Amino acid sequence: MSSSLLPTYARAKLAFERGEGAWLISTAGERFLDFGAGIAVSSLGHNHPHLVKALTAQARKLWHVSNLFEIPQAELLGRRLAEASFADFVFFTNSGTEAIEGAIKTARKYHFVSGHPEKFRIVTMQGAFHGRTLAAVTAGGNPKYLEGFGPKLEGFDQVPFADLAALRAAIGPQTGAILIEAIQGEGGIRAIPLAHLKAIRQLCDEHGLLLILDEVQTGMGRTGKLFAYEHAGITPDIMALAKGLGGGFPLGAFLVTAEAGKGMSVGTHGTTFGGNPLATSAGNAVLDVILGDGFLGHVAAMGKRLKQGLIELKDRNPGLIAEIRGEGLLLGIAARVPVQDFVAAALAEKLVLIPAADNVARLLPPLIVGEAEVDEALRRLEATAARVAGKALSHERVAE
Ligand SMILES: *Cc1c(COP(=O)(O)O)cnc(C)c1O
């Protein structure tokens, strides 16, 4: 049967009916180990009892009221996020790209109210991904996502990845902010060295620039710390969150210091859905678990176990795997075969992975993943490698 969905995705011929923790059950009744988590979204796995309870309880009370009224659930989540981070204020959105959009607007408005309306330009990094709105695709700079959509938005200057000299050179009298991912997710799990992050913070301070961190993928515990910036011992001025924030319920946010947010007064920004009672109830329930005793330690420990196993897998398959990347449960296998083949082979082993740029297969399991599941994923990856190697061999034979 043909689909009525606009064909912007090349979908696998596979649908899921339900999920349990780190497992997905297909409509055909087959069990898949979910190391994609809906692209780093289902941070507590599927059907988490605490999340289900919070969401169903709220669903029976009130779903939506608009931001013309106080929303106690959003107040609570905002306060908790501010207390757990560098931020003083939080604005809730429905997605990551909206969070980025709000972050960009906030940075521009900051310089405007500081008497420098000319400082609207933002420096970004090659390989970045910030979402799909016009501002976000311009910031991301991927030509594939820009082609055909009219003139690029004015005000973004892109520099090569992790090139401090180029970054310094790109700062001019109109520069107002630097926007980066501490670890590029869609870009292929490429981490900016921690020393660079520190230097970038320093550059921002020297030039009066705002540091905007896109933690849409790295945030909410994914790297083993609540936020990836903690690894570098720095703080941003503005940060975008989404993906894991709602545990599968659409929820994003941008967080700001009081100083960086000083231009965002009544009427300067808005959203109909953002921060509604249902979404922020989900967010609070997610945070209950992530901030629970030992939870982030568990993420770090599972990340270490998985990464160690991946490194051993790479050592056994040097012709197939070039590199293992990432931190916590944000890991990548840089493949020497087309990544689509690798991900398809994993799926045939009933292991869900997510492809990224730079020929990388991402492993983004739910943060609640256990030791047995990590070990099972490693076994399935071993089988995946054998499958891909077998195929590669048979290709060669055909080529001969
Ligand atoms: C996914 C992602 C976005 C965009 O989020 P959406 O919810 O798809 O709009 C932005 N930045 C990063 C780093 C992401 O990984």
Side-chain angles (χ1 to χ4, degrees):
M1 200 169 52
S2 72
S3 172
S4 299
L5 302 179
L6 195 67
T8 59
Y9 280 93
R11 296 170 193 270
K13 293 233 168 315
L14 176 62
F16 299 106
E17 179 169 83
R18 65 203 162 80
E20 295 163 5
W23 295 86
L24 282 166
I25 295 97
S26 74
T27 46
E30 292 180 311
R31 289 172 69 83
F32 288 75
L33 189 49
D34 184 9
F35 270 44
I39 318 187
V41 167
S42 308
S43 47
L44 303 190
H46 307 285
N47 221 335
H48 191 285
H50 184 65
L51 208 47
V52 170
K53 194 171 159 214
L55 206 54
T56 49
Q58 188 60 42
R60 289 195 192 94
K61 288 193 209 159
L62 185 65
W63 292 20
H64 176 84
V65 291
S66 98
N67 285 298
L68 298 174
F69 300 93
E70 287 182 356
I71 300 174
Q73 298 82 358
E75 290 286 348
L76 178 63
L77 182 57
R79 185 170 321 110
R80 295 173 79 192
L81 286 172
E83 275 169 10
S85 73
F86 69 96
D88 300 303
F89 295 111
V90 180
F91 184 101
F92 290 112
T93 67
N94 313 289
S95 65
T97 199
E98 285 171 90
I100 286 294
E101 195 83 22
I104 291 168
K105 286 175 72 178
T106 299
R108 287 182 170 189
K109 195 75 161 189
Y110 166 81
H111 289 293
F112 178 84
V113 299
S114 302
H116 290 287
E118 78 284 3
K119 290 186 179 291
F120 68 94
R121 305 195 71 85
I122 297 177
V123 180
T124 66
M125 258 182 208
Q126 277 171 14
F129 181 78
H130 299 297
R132 298 287 199 145
T133 57
L134 285 168
V137 288
T138 312
N142 185 336
K144 263 196 318 198
Y145 299 160
L146 282 160
E147 190 188 35
F149 295 118
K152 281 207 266 181
L153 208 70
E154 181 62 8
F156 295 91
D157 301 303
Q158 197 155 53
V159 296
F161 180 77
D163 181 340
L164 272 181
L167 187 62
R168 202 173 285 120
I171 298 170
Q174 295 187 325
T175 306
I178 296 174
L179 165 60
I180 49 171
E181 297 154 87
I183 303 173
Q184 290 187 344
E186 306 297 310
I189 314 294
R190 298 199 301 169
I192 299 178
L194 296 182
H196 279 213
L197 289 174
K198 285 198 175 90
I200 291 169
R201 174 70 267 180
Q202 225 166 359
L203 267 181
C204 286
D205 293 342
E206 276 166 34
H207 293 85
L209 311 180
L210 297 178
L211 177 58
I212 308 173
L213 283 186
D214 182 345
E215 292 233 24
V216 167
Q217 191 155 161
T218 55
M220 303 314 293
R222 177 65 44 196
T223 68
K225 303 234 184 239
L226 189 56
F227 303 114
Y229 68 73
E230 296 170 31
H231 294 285
I234 60 161
T235 58
D237 303 289
I238 305 175
M239 172 170 73
L241 295 176
K243 293 209 161 85
L245 185 58
F249 201 93
L251 177 62
F254 62 92
L255 284 68
V256 300
T257 62
E259 175 66 9
K262 71 183 180 183
M264 302 304 277
S265 52
V266 172
T268 54
H269 197 52
T271 168
T272 300
F273 294 119
N276 80 19
L278 209 47
T280 46
S281 291
N284 274 308
V286 168
L287 210 52
D288 290 342
V289 177
I290 290 185
L291 294 182
D293 265 355
F295 188 84
L296 291 171
H298 168 82
V299 175
M302 290 306 107
K304 214 168 150 192
R305 189 180 184 94
L306 181 55
K307 192 170 188 180
Q308 186 53 42
L310 292 175
I311 289 168
E312 288 163 20
L313 179 76
K314 170 187 148 279
D315 291 345
R316 281 193 299 276
N317 297 276
L320 213 60
I321 299 173
E323 197 187 348
I324 301 303
R325 303 175 179 173
E327 188 68 45
L329 290 173
L330 180 68
L331 296 173
I333 299 172
R336 293 194 198 276
V337 293
V339 68
Q340 300 297 347
D341 292 355
F342 194 90
V343 170
L347 201 58
E349 297 296 334
K350 303 215 165 40
L351 173 67
V352 177
L353 305 178
I354 309 273
D358 222 17
N359 214 45
V360 165
R362 266 178 293 176
L363 294 94
L364 312 160
L367 306 183
I368 48 93
V369 73
E371 269 182 16
E373 288 153 341
V374 166
D375 296 349
E376 179 58 28
L378 288 167
R379 273 191 291 278
R380 291 180 188 207
L381 282 166
E382 197 71 59
T384 299
R387 195 180 269 268
V388 175
K391 237 189 217 153
L393 281 178
S394 65
H395 278 313
E396 270 165 32
R397 254 178 247 127
V398 169
E400 280 165 17

